[in-house]
Amino acid sequence: MLKDIKFNKDGLVPAIAQDADNGEVLMLAYMNAEALRRTLESGEAWFWSRSRQELWHKGETSGSIITVREVWKDCDSDTILIRGKAAGPVCHTGNRTCFFQKMTKKDVED
Amino acid sequence: MLKDIKFNKDGLVPAIAQDADNGEVLMLAYMNAEALRRTLESGEAWFWSRSRQELWHKGETSGSIITVREVWKDCDSDTILIRGKAAGPVCHTGNRTCFFQKMTKKDVED
């Protein structure tokens, strides 16, 4: 079924990480086939770091490992959803989630 | 602040849509600047259809309009999170969410 996954021309799919208990969306990152394989086999979230161009075991440095409870793919198999628990703040800014900046109509008007 | 958004080389950002009440992740699609502008101004979700190469007022055909309560951007401004309510099943398959296919270790082994 990994063969079913539609990786983009860079060999990546976007992967959403969500807190399995409270539903909070924590981050979006990208996986290549190997990151997805490791995530499914290890039960911890792996991504592909586009900036560093290397496999990225989320939390290996920061300690904020994401323990995976469920992995889902979407209807057209080009997006992954991980539901799990992070051991600490997921965002490099120290925030619990990467989505801490709210946008409003004002963002359009300015 | 729209200028802050880091659109990719195709002029798009991934946008996650989430049910604002139960936290269910409904879909991931892509927005260009105009889709994001319309979403913020109208309070309904707009995307850019990559297959049709046109602005896409989600639900205009199916009826499953997504009424937006909150729009968030992530820490590095290259992903959008919409929290809102869909008027019907979001997925073109008729499912409530596009994420209805669970993956397991078996997907790696096969």
Side-chain angles (χ1 to χ4, degrees):
Chain A
M1 261 174 80
L2 273 191
K3 278 174 270 175
D4 290 347
I5 301 294
K6 285 184 203 134
F7 296 97
N8 68 17
K9 57 185 180 293
D10 296 322
L12 303 175
V13 276
I16 303 160
Q18 179 183 35
D19 186 294
D21 289 327
N22 65 23
E24 190 168 43
V25 175
L26 301 172
M27 62 184 288
L28 181 136
Y30 294 84
M31 289 181 175
N32 63 4
E34 178 62 15
L36 179 53
R37 191 187 69 72
R38 291 190 187 197
T39 298
L40 286 165
E41 287 200 333
S42 71
E44 294 180 349
W46 282 77
F47 301 104
W48 176 259
S49 167
R50 295 180 302 167
S51 52
R52 296 192 304 274
Q53 289 284 303
E54 62 181 24
L55 279 165
W56 167 28
H57 183 200
K58 170 67 186 168
E60 192 168 77
T61 309
S62 67
S64 297
I65 297 274
I66 300 176
T67 303
V68 173
R69 290 204 198 145
E70 299 168 358
V71 179
W72 299 80
K73 61 176 184 171
D74 77 344
C75 51
D76 46 10
S77 300
D78 64 2
T79 306
I80 302 294
L81 171 65
I82 289 172
R83 290 172 52 83
K85 290 304 289 183
V90 156
C91 188
H92 73 285
T93 58
N95 284 279
R96 203 174 58 242
T97 165
C98 292
F99 296 94
F100 58 89
Q101 301 173 100
K102 202 167 181 175
M103 300 186 73
T104 67
K105 275 189 191 182
K106 278 211 158 188
D107 295 322
V108 177
E109 291 156 6
D110 290 348
Chain B
M1 262 176 77
L2 272 192
K3 277 175 269 176
D4 291 347
I5 302 295
K6 285 185 202 132
F7 296 97
N8 68 17
K9 56 185 181 291
D10 296 323
L12 303 175
V13 277
I16 303 159
Q18 179 183 33
D19 185 294
D21 289 328
N22 64 24
E24 191 168 45
V25 175
L26 301 171
M27 62 182 289
L28 181 136
Y30 293 84
M31 289 182 175
N32 63 2
E34 178 63 15
L36 179 52
R37 192 187 68 73
R38 291 189 187 197
T39 298
L40 285 164
E41 287 200 335
S42 71
E44 294 181 350
W46 282 77
F47 301 104
W48 175 258
S49 167
R50 295 179 304 167
S51 53
R52 296 192 305 273
Q53 288 285 303
E54 62 182 23
L55 279 166
W56 168 28
H57 183 198
K58 170 69 187 166
E60 192 168 79
T61 309
S62 66
S64 296
I65 296 274
I66 300 177
T67 303
V68 173
R69 291 202 197 147
E70 299 168 358
V71 179
W72 299 78
K73 60 176 183 170
D74 78 344
C75 51
D76 46 8
S77 300
D78 63 3
T79 307
I80 302 295
L81 171 64
I82 289 172
R83 290 173 50 82
K85 291 303 290 182
V90 155
C91 188
H92 72 285
T93 58
N95 284 280
R96 203 176 57 243
T97 164
C98 291
F99 297 94
F100 58 88
Q101 302 172 100
K102 203 167 180 174
M103 300 186 74
T104 68
K105 276 189 190 183
K106 279 211 158 187
D107 295 322
V108 176
E109 291 155 9
D110 291 349

